[in-house]
Amino acid sequence: MHIPDELAERLRRANHVGVLTGAGTSAESGVPTFRDALTGLWAQYDPQELATPEAFARQPQLVWDWYAWRRELVARATPNPGHFALAELESRAPQFTLITQNVDGLHQRAGSRNVIELHGNLARVKCSRDDRVVASWPETGERPPHCPDCGALLRPDVVWFGENLPPAALSQAVRAARTADFFLTIGTSGIVQPAASLPLEAAQAGALTVEINPDATPLSRWADYALRGPSGVLLPALLAAAWPELNSA
Ligand code: OAD
């Protein structure tokens, strides 16, 4: 796909690049998205059944096992060219903030450093009573295991439906959206709040906004440019258009 010259030029000259990513960014790594009809995890499982505090209270083992399955799937996956292009972009932009809704850690594995995780991380476990992150626990074979400090059930350190986002991460993300002069929205269906309002914040604060997604979303109307296609192809193409010397590297 041809990247418009003006877009490439604006990226090259940007002072603060802000990025919001969603599950589509990891699709080409083989990590199923949440809402795509055929491959989405939740085509097989009803998210309302699994990703809620109520479900955990009702069926803790089912919820624990589902996250364990996702954790293994992600551990076997590797970052794709889109993740690597974002890490490269971070090394080129004067200021760069990557806000992700993903809990898979693939951005960090690709080399991204300034990453704000809005929805937590699958790899971490916390106490369901006081939210303290727990690094290890006695292996008794129980699923879920129990907190070594207080005995409550352990749970994944991810945000479930109906729960608040980590306040520090959210305020950092809002600040980044408001101060970015170039804002990329990649691989998100744009329907889960408050993440979905970040591109709007950026647009209202005057950033040039770009969406990368094979499909249109409710966020598309806020985008100055909509690049339609997979991020694993379009992000490297965008970088190569902004920094042509990358082509010969
Ligand atoms: P979704 O599954 O809702 O949306 C995935 C988006 O990625 C869709 O818009 C697809 O069109 C797009 N997509 C698919 N393949 C792509 C590709 N190769 N390149 C680029 N885009 C592609 O995932 P999210 O928007 O991330 O929250 O979902 C938001 C939140 O909903 C998740 O973080 C999760 C879920 O509830 C929590 O768990 C709290």
Side-chain angles (χ1 to χ4, degrees):
M1 176 187 181
H2 176 71
I3 305 291
D5 290 345
E6 196 229 345
L7 174 56
E9 184 63 18
R10 291 287 294 267
L11 180 57
R12 191 182 176 91
R13 288 167 181 270
N15 182 47
H16 181 184
V17 177
V19 182
L20 172 68
T21 64
T25 316
S26 295
E28 289 152 273
S29 294
V31 181
T33 65
F34 293 103
R35 294 183 180 81
D36 281 340
L38 292 175
T39 58
L41 276 181
W42 295 348
Q44 301 157 56
Y45 302 96
D46 180 354
Q48 308 296 339
E49 289 294 317
L50 296 171
T52 67
E54 294 76 21
F56 187 69
R58 231 175 16 242
Q59 292 181 289
Q61 186 175 326
L62 176 70
V63 174
W64 179 266
D65 286 352
W66 185 57
Y67 278 95
W69 175 71
R70 291 177 60 194
R71 197 176 296 126
E72 280 162 28
L73 190 140
V74 160
R76 285 196 305 273
T78 51
N80 67 59
H83 294 112
F84 288 116
L86 289 172
E88 175 74 29
L89 181 54
E90 181 166 11
S91 73
R92 289 175 179 267
Q95 206 188 334
F96 180 90
T97 310
L98 174 47
I99 307 159
T100 189
Q101 299 168 86
N102 298 346
V103 295
D104 57 29
L106 287 172
H107 287 303
Q108 292 90 334
R109 283 169 59 193
S112 288
R113 299 169 68 95
N114 192 19
V115 182
I116 300 173
E117 291 182 322
L118 283 181
H119 292 166
N121 192 306
L122 264 182
R124 281 193 309 266
V125 164
K126 66 179 183 179
C127 173
S128 61
R129 185 174 294 160
D130 63 14
D131 283 340
R132 264 196 296 188
V133 172
V134 172
S136 63
W137 53 88
E139 210 40 87
T140 61
E142 284 176 299
R143 307 192 323 269
H146 292 265
C147 175
D149 296 327
C150 74
L153 294 181
L154 295 176
R155 56 163 281 182
D157 187 9
V158 299
V159 176
W160 283 332
F161 286 111
E163 293 185 324
N164 290 329
L165 272 60
L170 181 59
S171 60
Q172 283 166 24
V174 170
R175 204 173 322 125
R178 288 182 183 156
T179 54
D181 54 339
F182 189 106
F183 197 87
L184 272 166
T185 303
I186 308 165
T188 179
S189 55
I191 54 177
V192 175
Q193 294 294 353
S197 65
L198 294 168
L200 176 58
E201 293 275 359
Q204 285 175 339
L208 185 87
T209 51
V210 182
E211 177 179 66
I212 297 183
N213 196 311
D215 298 324
T217 74
L219 302 177
S220 301
R221 67 197 182 103
W222 302 107
D224 295 306
Y225 290 92
L227 305 181
R228 295 275 166 249
S231 50
V233 174
L234 290 178
L235 277 168
L238 178 60
L239 254 78
W243 290 278
E245 60 272 22
L246 276 173
N247 288 321
S248 52

